[in-house]
Protein backbone atom coordinates (compact mmCIF):
# COMPACT_ATOMS: atom_id res chain seq x y z
CA UNK A 1 0.00 0.00 0.00
CA UNK A 2 2.86 2.40 0.83
CA UNK A 3 4.39 1.89 -2.61
CA UNK A 4 1.00 2.47 -4.22
CA UNK A 5 0.56 5.78 -2.41
CA UNK A 6 4.08 6.82 -3.34
CA UNK A 7 3.35 6.13 -7.01
CA UNK A 8 0.08 8.06 -6.84
CA UNK A 9 1.74 11.08 -5.19
CA UNK A 10 4.50 10.96 -7.81
CA UNK A 11 1.83 10.91 -10.53
CA UNK A 12 0.20 13.96 -8.98
CA UNK A 13 3.46 15.89 -9.01
CA UNK A 14 3.87 15.50 -12.78
CA UNK A 15 0.50 17.03 -13.64
CA UNK A 16 0.27 20.72 -14.52
CA UNK A 17 -3.47 21.23 -14.99
CA UNK A 18 -6.07 21.26 -12.15
CA UNK A 19 -8.60 19.24 -14.20
CA UNK A 20 -5.93 16.64 -14.94
CA UNK A 21 -5.12 16.32 -11.22
CA UNK A 22 -8.79 15.89 -10.29
CA UNK A 23 -9.38 13.31 -13.00
CA UNK A 24 -6.34 11.36 -11.87
CA UNK A 25 -7.52 11.36 -8.24
CA UNK A 26 -11.02 10.19 -9.21
CA UNK A 27 -9.51 7.31 -11.17
CA UNK A 28 -7.04 6.28 -8.47
CA UNK A 29 -9.65 6.48 -5.70
CA UNK A 30 -11.97 4.13 -7.58
CA UNK A 31 -9.15 1.68 -8.34
CA UNK A 32 -7.83 1.79 -4.78
CA UNK A 33 -11.21 0.91 -3.22
CA UNK A 34 -12.67 -1.28 -5.97
CA UNK A 35 -15.46 1.28 -6.42
CA UNK A 36 -17.87 1.33 -9.34
CA UNK A 37 -17.14 5.00 -9.93
CA UNK A 38 -15.73 8.23 -8.58
CA UNK A 39 -15.99 11.84 -9.62
CA UNK A 40 -15.22 15.38 -8.45
CA UNK A 41 -17.71 18.14 -7.72
CA UNK A 42 -15.92 21.45 -8.18
CA UNK A 43 -17.18 24.52 -6.32
CA UNK A 44 -17.86 27.40 -8.74
CA UNK A 45 -19.89 30.57 -8.13
CA UNK A 46 -21.73 29.10 -5.15
CA UNK A 47 -22.72 26.04 -7.20
CA UNK A 48 -21.17 22.62 -7.59
CA UNK A 49 -20.19 21.30 -11.01
CA UNK A 50 -19.57 17.65 -11.82
CA UNK A 51 -16.32 16.90 -13.61
CA UNK A 52 -13.44 14.42 -13.72
CA UNK A 53 -15.65 11.31 -13.62
CA UNK A 54 -14.28 7.74 -13.65
CA UNK A 55 -16.75 4.89 -14.06
CA UNK A 56 -20.21 4.24 -15.46
CA UNK A 57 -23.56 5.85 -14.62
CA UNK A 58 -22.08 9.02 -13.13
CA UNK A 59 -23.38 12.57 -13.68
CA UNK A 60 -22.24 13.98 -17.04
CA UNK A 61 -19.45 16.53 -16.89
CA UNK A 62 -20.88 20.01 -16.48
CA UNK A 63 -23.90 18.90 -14.42
CA UNK A 64 -24.63 21.64 -11.88
CA UNK A 65 -26.18 21.45 -8.45
CA UNK A 66 -26.73 23.67 -5.42
CA UNK A 67 -23.99 24.27 -2.88
CA UNK A 68 -26.07 25.76 -0.09
CA UNK A 69 -27.63 22.94 1.96
CA UNK A 70 -25.85 20.20 0.00
CA UNK A 71 -23.70 17.41 1.35
CA UNK A 72 -20.74 19.08 -0.37
CA UNK A 73 -21.23 22.15 1.80
CA UNK A 74 -21.47 19.99 4.94
CA UNK A 75 -18.29 18.11 4.08
CA UNK A 76 -16.31 21.27 3.31
CA UNK A 77 -17.46 23.08 6.46
CA UNK A 78 -16.84 19.97 8.62
CA UNK A 79 -13.46 19.35 7.02
CA UNK A 80 -13.90 15.59 7.27
CA UNK A 81 -15.36 12.79 5.12
CA UNK A 82 -19.04 11.86 5.31
CA UNK A 83 -20.49 8.51 4.23
CA UNK A 84 -23.91 8.31 2.58
CA UNK A 85 -26.02 5.18 2.84
CA UNK A 86 -27.85 5.86 -0.44
CA UNK A 87 -26.89 8.45 -3.07
CA UNK A 88 -30.54 8.75 -4.17
CA UNK A 89 -31.47 10.15 -0.75
CA UNK A 90 -29.41 13.31 -1.29
CA UNK A 91 -32.11 15.57 -2.74
CA UNK A 92 -29.98 18.75 -2.67
CA UNK A 93 -27.06 17.24 -4.52
CA UNK A 94 -25.89 16.12 -7.94
CA UNK A 95 -25.68 12.69 -6.30
CA UNK A 96 -29.45 12.26 -6.68
CA UNK A 97 -29.03 12.21 -10.48
CA UNK A 98 -27.18 8.89 -10.28
CA UNK A 99 -29.54 6.25 -11.65
CA UNK A 100 -29.06 3.53 -9.04
CA UNK A 101 -29.04 3.06 -5.25
CA UNK A 102 -25.59 2.77 -3.68
CA UNK A 103 -23.57 4.04 -0.73
CA UNK A 104 -20.95 6.73 -1.23
CA UNK A 105 -18.07 8.42 0.54
CA UNK A 106 -17.82 12.19 0.17
CA UNK A 107 -14.44 13.77 0.99
CA UNK A 108 -13.53 17.46 1.11
CA UNK A 109 -11.00 19.02 -1.25
CA UNK A 110 -9.68 22.00 0.71
CA UNK A 111 -6.14 23.39 0.88
CA UNK A 112 -4.96 26.53 2.64
CA UNK A 113 -8.56 27.68 3.05
CA UNK A 114 -9.19 27.34 -0.70
CA UNK A 115 -12.50 25.50 -1.13
CA UNK A 116 -11.98 23.40 -4.25
CA UNK A 117 -14.87 20.94 -3.95
CA UNK A 118 -15.32 17.30 -2.99
CA UNK A 119 -14.34 13.81 -4.07
CA UNK A 120 -17.28 11.39 -4.32
CA UNK A 121 -16.57 7.64 -4.45
CA UNK A 122 -19.46 5.18 -5.07
CA UNK A 123 -19.55 1.42 -4.71
CA UNK A 124 -22.04 -1.35 -4.02
CA UNK A 125 -20.88 -2.19 -0.48
CA UNK A 126 -20.21 0.18 2.44
CA UNK A 127 -16.70 1.55 2.99
CA UNK A 128 -14.48 0.39 5.84
CA UNK A 129 -12.77 2.93 8.09
CA UNK A 130 -9.31 2.12 6.71
CA UNK A 131 -10.54 2.79 3.15
CA UNK A 132 -11.92 6.17 4.20
CA UNK A 133 -8.53 7.05 5.68
CA UNK A 134 -6.77 6.05 2.45
CA UNK A 135 -9.15 8.10 0.31
CA UNK A 136 -8.78 11.03 2.68
CA UNK A 137 -5.03 10.92 2.14
CA UNK A 138 -5.63 11.03 -1.61
CA UNK A 139 -8.14 13.87 -1.40
CA UNK A 140 -5.76 15.93 0.74
CA UNK A 141 -2.92 15.31 -1.70
CA UNK A 142 -5.20 16.26 -4.60
CA UNK A 143 -6.29 19.49 -2.91
CA UNK A 144 -2.67 20.42 -2.24
CA UNK A 145 -1.74 19.61 -5.85
CA UNK A 146 -4.59 21.62 -7.32
CA UNK A 147 -3.92 24.54 -5.00
CA UNK A 148 -0.24 24.52 -5.96
CA UNK A 149 -1.09 24.65 -9.66
CA UNK A 150 -3.61 27.45 -9.13
CA UNK A 151 -1.05 29.46 -7.14
CA UNK A 152 1.53 28.95 -9.90
CA UNK A 153 -0.99 30.04 -12.54
CA UNK A 154 -1.92 33.12 -10.51
CA UNK A 155 1.76 33.93 -10.08
CA UNK A 156 2.31 33.58 -13.82
CA UNK A 157 -0.65 35.83 -14.59
CA UNK A 158 0.70 38.42 -12.17
CA UNK A 159 4.12 38.20 -13.81
CA UNK A 160 2.63 38.66 -17.28
CA UNK A 161 0.48 41.55 -16.06
CA UNK A 162 3.51 43.20 -14.43
CA UNK A 163 5.52 42.85 -17.62
CA UNK A 164 2.63 44.30 -19.60
CA UNK A 165 2.33 47.23 -17.18
CA UNK A 166 6.06 47.91 -17.46
CA UNK A 167 5.81 47.72 -21.25
CA UNK A 168 2.91 50.19 -21.27
CA UNK A 169 4.79 52.52 -18.94
CA UNK A 170 7.86 52.37 -21.18
CA UNK A 171 5.72 53.10 -24.24
CA UNK A 172 4.16 56.12 -22.55
CA UNK A 173 7.55 57.42 -21.44
CA UNK A 174 8.81 57.01 -25.01
CA UNK A 175 5.81 58.87 -26.32
CA UNK A 176 6.19 61.74 -23.89
CA UNK A 177 9.96 61.94 -24.33
CA UNK A 178 10.12 61.58 -28.10
CA UNK A 179 6.85 62.03 -29.94
CA UNK A 180 5.81 65.18 -28.08
CA UNK A 181 9.22 66.75 -28.59
CA UNK A 182 8.75 67.28 -32.33
CA UNK A 183 5.50 69.29 -32.17
CA UNK A 184 6.84 71.24 -29.19
CA UNK A 185 9.92 72.17 -31.22
CA UNK A 186 7.68 73.25 -34.09
CA UNK A 187 5.66 75.54 -31.81
CA UNK A 188 8.86 76.99 -30.36
CA UNK A 189 10.31 77.71 -33.82
CA UNK A 190 7.05 79.28 -34.99
CA UNK A 191 6.83 81.55 -31.96
CA UNK A 192 10.39 82.72 -32.51
CA UNK A 193 9.64 83.44 -36.17
CA UNK A 194 6.41 85.31 -35.40
CA UNK A 195 8.30 87.48 -32.94
CA UNK A 196 9.96 89.00 -36.01
CA UNK A 197 7.58 91.87 -36.78
CA UNK A 198 8.86 92.10 -40.38
CA UNK A 199 7.19 88.86 -41.48
CA UNK A 200 4.52 89.25 -44.21
CA UNK A 201 0.95 88.58 -43.08
CA UNK A 202 0.58 85.55 -45.36
CA UNK A 203 3.75 83.93 -44.04
CA UNK A 204 2.70 84.65 -40.47
CA UNK A 205 -0.67 83.00 -41.09
CA UNK A 206 1.05 79.92 -42.51
CA UNK A 207 3.29 79.71 -39.46
CA UNK A 208 0.29 80.03 -37.16
CA UNK A 209 -1.36 77.18 -39.05
CA UNK A 210 1.75 75.03 -38.48
CA UNK A 211 1.68 75.87 -34.77
CA UNK A 212 -2.01 75.03 -34.52
CA UNK A 213 -1.44 71.68 -36.25
CA UNK A 214 1.31 70.90 -33.73
CA UNK A 215 -0.87 71.90 -30.78
CA UNK A 216 -3.71 69.74 -32.10
CA UNK A 217 -1.31 66.83 -32.54
CA UNK A 218 -0.09 67.15 -28.95
CA UNK A 219 -3.66 67.40 -27.74
CA UNK A 220 -4.59 64.18 -29.55
CA UNK A 221 -1.54 62.41 -28.14
CA UNK A 222 -2.39 63.38 -24.57
CA UNK A 223 -6.06 62.47 -25.06
CA UNK A 224 -5.06 59.06 -26.45
CA UNK A 225 -2.74 58.48 -23.51
CA UNK A 226 -5.47 59.35 -21.01
CA UNK A 227 -8.01 57.15 -22.82
CA UNK A 228 -5.54 54.25 -22.90
CA UNK A 229 -4.91 54.61 -19.17
CA UNK A 230 -8.67 54.54 -18.50
CA UNK A 231 -9.13 51.37 -20.56
CA UNK A 232 -6.16 49.72 -18.86
CA UNK A 233 -7.60 50.52 -15.43
CA UNK A 234 -11.34 49.90 -15.94
CA UNK A 235 -11.63 47.88 -19.15
CA UNK A 236 -13.75 50.47 -20.98
CA UNK A 237 -14.24 54.16 -21.66
CA UNK A 238 -17.02 56.21 -20.05
CA UNK A 239 -19.84 56.82 -22.55
CA UNK A 240 -22.96 59.00 -22.48
CA UNK A 241 -25.04 57.69 -25.41
CA UNK A 242 -28.07 59.69 -26.60
CA UNK A 243 -30.02 59.64 -29.88
CA UNK A 244 -27.96 61.13 -32.71
CA UNK A 245 -28.66 61.80 -36.37
CA UNK A 246 -25.94 59.82 -38.15
CA UNK A 247 -25.89 61.98 -41.29
CA UNK A 248 -25.59 65.22 -39.34
CA UNK A 249 -22.69 63.88 -37.28
CA UNK A 250 -20.81 62.77 -40.39
CA UNK A 251 -21.49 66.10 -42.09
CA UNK A 252 -19.89 67.99 -39.22
CA UNK A 253 -16.83 65.71 -39.25
CA UNK A 254 -16.46 66.34 -43.00
CA UNK A 255 -16.78 70.10 -42.65
CA UNK A 256 -14.11 70.16 -39.96
CA UNK A 257 -11.83 68.06 -42.16
CA UNK A 258 -12.32 70.41 -45.12
CA UNK A 259 -11.07 73.34 -43.05
CA UNK A 260 -8.10 71.25 -42.00
CA UNK A 261 -7.10 70.28 -45.57
CA UNK A 262 -7.28 73.70 -47.25
CA UNK A 263 -3.50 74.02 -47.24
CA UNK A 264 -2.71 70.34 -47.84
CA UNK A 265 -3.97 69.92 -51.40
CA UNK A 266 -6.22 66.97 -50.51
CA UNK A 267 -9.83 66.91 -51.69
CA UNK A 268 -12.54 65.82 -49.19
CA UNK A 269 -15.73 64.31 -50.62
CA UNK A 270 -18.74 63.46 -48.44
CA UNK A 271 -21.42 60.99 -49.56
CA UNK A 272 -24.39 60.83 -47.18
CA UNK A 273 -26.60 58.13 -48.67
CA UNK A 274 -29.08 57.51 -45.88
CA UNK A 275 -30.45 59.01 -42.72
CA UNK A 276 -31.29 57.34 -39.43
CA UNK A 277 -30.91 57.70 -35.68
CA UNK A 278 -28.17 55.98 -33.72
CA UNK A 279 -27.82 55.76 -29.95
CA UNK A 280 -24.28 57.02 -29.40
CA UNK A 281 -21.90 59.20 -27.45
CA UNK A 282 -21.48 62.10 -29.85
CA UNK A 283 -18.01 63.18 -28.74
CA UNK A 284 -16.64 59.65 -28.79
CA UNK A 285 -18.06 58.89 -32.22
CA UNK A 286 -16.66 62.17 -33.53
CA UNK A 287 -13.34 61.06 -32.06
CA UNK A 288 -13.46 57.88 -34.17
CA UNK A 289 -14.44 59.73 -37.36
CA UNK A 290 -11.86 62.45 -36.82
CA UNK A 291 -9.13 59.90 -36.20
CA UNK A 292 -9.94 57.96 -39.39
CA UNK A 293 -10.26 61.12 -41.50
CA UNK A 294 -7.04 62.66 -40.10
CA UNK A 295 -5.16 59.42 -40.80
CA UNK A 296 -6.51 59.34 -44.35
CA UNK A 297 -5.43 62.94 -44.92
CA UNK A 298 -2.02 62.27 -43.38
CA UNK A 299 -1.25 59.39 -45.76
CA UNK A 300 -2.85 60.82 -48.90
CA UNK A 301 -0.41 62.67 -51.17
CA UNK A 302 -1.10 66.17 -52.54
CA UNK A 303 -3.76 66.05 -55.23
CA UNK A 304 -5.31 62.92 -53.71
CA UNK A 305 -8.84 62.40 -52.45
CA UNK A 306 -10.49 61.31 -49.21
CA UNK A 307 -14.09 60.11 -49.41
CA UNK A 308 -16.25 59.95 -46.28
CA UNK A 309 -19.48 58.00 -46.62
CA UNK A 310 -22.47 57.14 -44.45
CA UNK A 311 -24.83 54.33 -45.48
CA UNK A 312 -27.74 52.52 -43.82
CA UNK A 313 -27.09 48.80 -44.35
CA UNK A 314 -29.20 45.98 -42.85
CA UNK A 315 -30.05 47.68 -39.58
CA UNK A 316 -26.63 49.30 -39.15
CA UNK A 317 -25.16 52.64 -40.05
CA UNK A 318 -21.90 52.05 -41.88
CA UNK A 319 -19.31 54.82 -41.81
CA UNK A 320 -16.43 54.55 -44.29
CA UNK A 321 -13.32 56.67 -44.88
CA UNK A 322 -11.57 55.93 -48.16
CA UNK A 323 -8.24 57.43 -49.24
CA UNK A 324 -5.95 57.34 -52.27
CA UNK A 325 -2.75 56.90 -50.30
CA UNK A 326 -0.22 54.05 -50.53
CA UNK A 327 -2.54 51.55 -48.82
CA UNK A 328 -1.90 49.14 -45.96
CA UNK A 329 -0.01 45.91 -46.74
CA UNK A 330 -1.98 42.72 -46.07
CA UNK A 331 0.47 41.59 -43.37
CA UNK A 332 -0.28 44.72 -41.31
CA UNK A 333 -4.08 44.66 -41.45
CA UNK A 334 -4.48 42.37 -38.42
CA UNK A 335 -2.12 44.50 -36.34
CA UNK A 336 -3.12 48.10 -36.92
CA UNK A 337 -5.82 48.08 -34.21
CA UNK A 338 -3.36 46.89 -31.54
CA UNK A 339 -2.14 49.33 -28.91
CA UNK A 340 1.17 51.04 -29.78
CA UNK A 341 1.57 49.12 -33.02
CA UNK A 342 2.90 51.16 -35.93
CA UNK A 343 4.11 50.19 -39.37
CA UNK A 344 7.92 50.46 -39.47
CA UNK A 345 7.74 52.73 -42.51
CA UNK A 346 5.55 55.33 -40.75
CA UNK A 347 6.36 54.81 -37.05
CA UNK A 348 7.36 58.47 -36.69
CA UNK A 349 3.93 59.74 -37.79
CA UNK A 350 1.80 58.76 -34.79
CA UNK A 351 1.47 57.18 -31.38
CA UNK A 352 -0.03 53.82 -32.29
CA UNK A 353 -2.97 54.46 -29.96
CA UNK A 354 -5.64 56.16 -32.06
CA UNK A 355 -6.94 53.09 -33.91
CA UNK A 356 -6.91 50.93 -30.75
CA UNK A 357 -9.04 53.56 -29.00
CA UNK A 358 -11.33 53.83 -32.03
CA UNK A 359 -11.86 50.07 -31.91
CA UNK A 360 -12.70 50.28 -28.20
CA UNK A 361 -15.25 53.05 -28.77
CA UNK A 362 -16.93 51.21 -31.65
CA UNK A 363 -17.02 47.97 -29.66
CA UNK A 364 -18.70 49.70 -26.70
CA UNK A 365 -21.35 51.00 -29.12
CA UNK A 366 -22.11 47.44 -30.23
CA UNK A 367 -20.43 47.82 -33.62
CA UNK A 368 -17.31 46.59 -35.37
CA UNK A 369 -14.43 48.25 -37.23
CA UNK A 370 -12.15 46.97 -39.97
CA UNK A 371 -9.88 48.01 -42.84
CA UNK A 372 -9.84 47.00 -46.50
CA UNK A 373 -7.20 47.52 -49.16
CA UNK A 374 -8.62 49.11 -52.29
CA UNK A 375 -8.17 47.42 -55.66
CA UNK A 376 -6.41 50.43 -57.14
CA UNK A 377 -4.65 52.33 -54.38
CA UNK A 378 -5.31 53.47 -50.87
CA UNK A 379 -7.32 51.99 -48.04
CA UNK A 380 -10.87 52.04 -46.74
CA UNK A 381 -11.58 52.08 -43.03
CA UNK A 382 -15.12 51.18 -42.07
CA UNK A 383 -17.12 50.82 -38.89
CA UNK A 384 -20.75 50.10 -38.07
CA UNK A 385 -23.08 51.35 -35.36
CA UNK A 386 -26.52 49.74 -34.84
CA UNK A 387 -29.43 51.87 -36.10
CA UNK A 388 -32.13 52.40 -33.49
CA UNK A 389 -35.01 53.53 -35.71
CA UNK A 390 -36.33 52.59 -39.09
CA UNK A 391 -34.15 54.40 -41.67
CA UNK A 392 -35.65 57.10 -43.85
CA UNK A 393 -34.27 57.60 -47.32
CA UNK A 394 -32.55 60.92 -47.77
Amino acid sequence: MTNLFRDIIRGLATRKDPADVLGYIAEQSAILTGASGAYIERLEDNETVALAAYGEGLPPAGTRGPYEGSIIQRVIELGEPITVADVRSESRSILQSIGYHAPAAVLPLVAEERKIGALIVIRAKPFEASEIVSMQTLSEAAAIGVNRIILLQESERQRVELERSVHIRDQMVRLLAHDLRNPLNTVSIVLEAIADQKLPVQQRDELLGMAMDSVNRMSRMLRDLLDTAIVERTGELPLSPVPQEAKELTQQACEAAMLHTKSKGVDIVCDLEGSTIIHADRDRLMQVLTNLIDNAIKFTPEGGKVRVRTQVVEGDVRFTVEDTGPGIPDEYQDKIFEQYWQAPETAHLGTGLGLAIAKQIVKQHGGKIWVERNDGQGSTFAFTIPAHTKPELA
Side-chain angles (χ1 to χ4, degrees):
M1 183 67 72
T2 301
N3 291 337
L4 177 60
F5 272 110
R6 185 169 56 246
D7 292 341
I8 292 174
I9 299 300
R10 188 180 295 119
L12 279 174
T14 63
R15 284 162 168 76
K16 307 298 183 184
D17 180 74
D20 191 21
V21 170
L22 297 177
Y24 179 73
I25 283 298
E27 176 186 7
Q28 294 302 318
S29 297
I31 293 173
L32 181 67
T33 59
S36 57
Y39 74 99
I40 305 291
E41 286 191 30
R42 179 77 180 266
L43 181 57
E44 295 180 7
D45 300 326
N46 209 35
E47 286 186 314
T48 59
V49 183
L51 69 161
Y54 178 82
E56 299 294 332
L58 298 176
T63 302
R64 290 185 172 268
Y67 177 68
E68 296 293 335
S70 69
I71 189 170
I72 307 303
Q73 183 185 32
R74 299 201 305 273
V75 162
I76 288 177
E77 291 180 353
L78 182 63
E80 295 180 2
I82 295 177
T83 56
V84 177
D86 185 357
V87 294
R88 298 285 292 167
S89 66
E90 293 296 324
S91 59
R92 286 192 60 79
S93 174
I94 296 174
L95 280 168
Q96 194 189 36
S97 65
I98 295 175
Y100 53 88
H101 297 275
V106 184
L107 302 99
L109 294 172
V110 178
E112 297 182 8
E113 299 185 354
R114 187 189 299 275
K115 299 176 181 179
I116 298 168
L119 166 66
I120 297 93
V121 184
I122 304 165
R123 94 176 170 188
K125 63 179 182 178
F127 295 93
E128 297 179 4
S130 60
E131 293 175 316
I132 297 295
V133 171
S134 297
M135 288 188 293
Q136 189 172 8
T137 301
L138 287 184
S139 65
E140 290 172 355
I144 292 171
V146 170
N147 189 54
R148 177 183 61 84
I149 294 171
I150 291 174
L151 289 174
L152 288 173
Q153 291 176 341
E154 289 175 348
S155 177
E156 177 63 15
R157 283 194 294 269
Q158 290 172 357
R159 184 191 66 79
V160 171
E161 184 61 30
L162 178 60
E163 288 184 354
R164 186 166 179 266
S165 298
V166 170
H167 175 70
I168 291 171
R169 182 206 63 189
D170 291 345
Q171 292 282 16
M172 290 186 174
V173 170
R174 175 195 63 78
L175 180 64
L176 291 171
H178 179 267
D179 292 11
L180 284 176
R181 183 169 54 196
N182 291 335
L184 277 172
N185 287 340
T186 300
V187 172
S188 177
I189 292 169
V190 167
L191 291 176
E192 289 180 6
I194 290 178
D196 183 357
Q197 300 296 322
K198 297 178 182 180
L199 280 177
V201 174
Q202 182 178 354
Q203 189 174 355
R204 183 173 297 179
D205 289 345
E206 291 175 355
L207 288 172
L208 285 172
M210 290 173 56
M212 184 58 66
D213 285 345
S214 296
V215 170
N216 289 336
R217 182 181 172 191
M218 287 188 288
S219 177
R220 284 195 298 272
M221 288 181 185
L222 292 173
R223 181 197 63 195
D224 289 348
L225 279 172
L226 290 173
D227 284 347
T228 300
I230 291 171
V231 173
E232 289 294 333
R233 186 173 67 254
T234 67
E236 60 182 23
L237 292 165
L239 298 181
S240 299
V242 295
Q244 303 283 346
E245 171 54 63
K247 183 165 67 173
E248 178 186 343
L249 189 146
T250 309
Q251 182 66 46
Q252 291 190 7
C254 284
E255 291 173 356
M258 289 174 184
L259 293 174
H260 181 58
T261 57
K262 278 187 175 180
S263 61
K264 295 184 180 293
V266 175
D267 189 22
I268 301 288
V269 177
C270 294
D271 291 336
L272 309 179
E273 298 183 7
S275 178
T276 191
I277 300 296
I278 57 176
H279 199 62
D281 185 308
R282 182 182 186 83
D283 291 340
R284 288 299 187 183
L285 218 55
M286 284 292 288
Q287 183 178 343
V288 176
L289 279 168
T290 300
N291 179 278
L292 297 182
I293 295 171
D294 285 352
N295 282 348
I297 294 169
K298 184 193 305 181
F299 294 108
T300 299
E302 186 175 353
K305 180 182 295 186
V306 172
R307 182 183 299 274
V308 183
R309 178 177 297 174
T310 300
Q311 300 167 286
V312 181
V313 182
E314 297 180 354
D316 289 330
V317 178
R318 180 182 296 171
F319 302 84
T320 57
V321 179
E322 179 182 349
D323 64 62
T324 56
I328 299 173
D330 293 340
E331 62 268 27
Y332 294 162
Q333 293 192 13
D334 290 337
K335 300 178 180 179
I336 57 174
F337 293 104
E338 297 176 4
Q339 281 187 1
Y340 296 107
W341 188 88
Q342 299 178 75
E345 303 87 344
T346 57
H348 62 289
L349 296 179
T351 65
L353 293 175
L355 288 176
I357 294 168
K359 181 179 179 179
Q360 178 71 29
I361 293 171
V362 172
K363 177 183 176 182
Q364 286 185 228
H365 279 85
K368 59 181 181 178
I369 187 170
W370 68 94
V371 63
E372 301 170 353
R373 188 168 186 175
N374 299 341
D375 292 337
Q377 60 177 340
S379 300
T380 297
F381 281 83
F383 68 95
T384 58
I385 300 294
H388 280 256
T389 63
K390 185 178 180 180
E392 299 175 1
L393 297 178

